[in-house]
Amino acid sequence: MFTLQLSWPEQAISQAASLYWPEFVVEATPQVDSTNTVLLERARTGHNMPVLLVAEQQTAGRGRMGRQWHNTQPVGGMLAFSLGLPLPACDLSGLSLVVACSIVNSLDAQQRHGLRIKWPNDLWYGNSKLGGILVEISSQGGQRYAVIGVGINITAPLPLPPAAPNQPTPQPPAWVQQFAPQATAPEVLAQIAAPLVAAVHQFTQRGFEPWHSRFTARDALAGQAVWLSDGDTGLAQGVSAQGALLVQTSQGLRTVLSDDISVRPQTTR
């Protein structure tokens, strides 16, 4: 039987989040396969309460497009949690960018550390991936439930495995203690959770528009030559009003949706 090894700020987060979603709860668990998977399975059985589920260890974390999220750190080395929220009828375009903006603004409010966002869902420190976001939606009987998974390296992880054939070579990862040496996973969660809940609530009311300029200020791809996973190349030109990536290609300005394709700077191909 696994037991919790860290002290998590469940009560403080639940109290702050209840201002936006009444009956919000925070759960901390020693180990799961994937926090996103747990909340999605609950939603499919009708349990769509507002909740933040944090796990000290994930055995089968997932990233975008089915990729595995490699967790090589001991307990406390990575912050892994999922935010599950029932959503009203609203356009979800740009939600992952709002989540990313909220997190980097919480971790680097004065922009002293240069945290940036690689469209559509990666957190960057320097030119390395600090963390990732996975947004999944469950629709049951006309009800929508968003599961927002977040994984952030707190301490130095082991090197990533080699890239698959014909895939770009991954950059070495980054971690929070590079710019905040005393940070712990519970402290980082306490720092980012309540503002994140508030940001998602605002998003349900006003969409991506209030966050457009904040994303632009953190855009890691702006003005860079990029490679698209379908073989196209071009120059990244920011994002649209709905959060779609704009790429100037040889055939003209292309709008790239996050469900369609992955994007990388050409230097990391």
Side-chain angles (χ1 to χ4, degrees), residues 101 105 111 208-219 239:
C101 284
N105 287 345
Q111 299 196 31
F208 177 64
E209 189 276 332
W211 294 85
H212 192 283
S213 61
R214 280 176 272 189
F215 172 80
T216 298
R218 302 277 191 172
D219 187 355
V239 297

Side-chain angles (χ1 to χ4, degrees), residues 159-204:
L160 294 172
N166 300 320
Q167 291 296 313
T169 300
Q171 290 287 103
W175 57 95
V176 171
Q177 289 186 358
Q178 287 177 291
F179 57 87
Q182 304 305 314
T184 66
E187 289 169 353
V188 171
L189 182 64
Q191 190 174 356
I192 68 178
L196 176 57
V197 172
V200 176
H201 185 268
Q202 184 195 56
F203 175 84
T204 66

Side-chain angles (χ1 to χ4, degrees), residues 87-262:
L87 294 185
C90 62
D91 183 3
L92 299 182
S93 302
L95 176 56
S96 67
L97 301 184
V98 170
V99 172
C101 284
S102 175
I103 292 172
V104 297
N105 287 345
S106 292
L107 293 177
D108 187 21
Q110 305 302 319
Q111 299 196 31
R112 291 181 296 179
H113 307 305
L115 297 192
R116 299 181 296 159
I117 303 164
K118 175 191 165 290
W119 184 94
N121 64 342
D122 286 348
L123 313 175
W124 273 17
Y125 174 58
N127 292 317
S128 298
K129 183 175 178 177
L130 176 71
I133 297 160
L134 177 63
V135 178
E136 299 181 285
I137 306 297
S138 173
S139 297
Q140 301 290 327
Q143 300 293 318
R144 288 192 308 176
Y145 190 71
V147 177
I148 302 167
V150 178
I152 301 174
N153 295 321
I154 304 299
T155 64
L158 295 175
L160 294 172
N166 300 320
Q167 291 296 313
T169 300
Q171 290 287 103
W175 57 95
V176 171
Q177 289 186 358
Q178 287 177 291
F179 57 87
Q182 304 305 314
T184 66
E187 289 169 353
V188 171
L189 182 64
Q191 190 174 356
I192 68 178
L196 176 57
V197 172
V200 176
H201 185 268
Q202 184 195 56
F203 175 84
T204 66
Q205 306 296 315
R206 301 181 59 191
F208 177 64
E209 189 276 332
W211 294 85
H212 192 283
S213 61
R214 280 176 272 189
F215 172 80
T216 298
R218 302 277 191 172
D219 187 355
L221 297 180
Q224 288 201 46
V226 295
W227 169 79
L228 310 181
S229 58
D230 64 358
D232 206 356
T233 60
L235 197 68
Q237 300 288 305
V239 297
S240 71
Q242 291 74 41
L245 181 67
L246 303 176
V247 180
Q248 188 67 49
T249 73
S250 60
Q251 303 300 314
L253 188 65
R254 178 176 175 181
T255 300
V256 182
L257 302 176
S258 62
D259 290 341
D260 293 340
I261 203 162
S262 61

Side-chain angles (χ1 to χ4, degrees), residues 53-70:
L53 175 64
V54 59
E56 293 185 339
Q57 287 190 314
Q58 285 194 124
T59 59
R62 294 182 288 110
R64 182 169 165 259
M65 301 176 75
R67 298 187 182 99
Q68 182 179 358
W69 175 266
H70 295 277

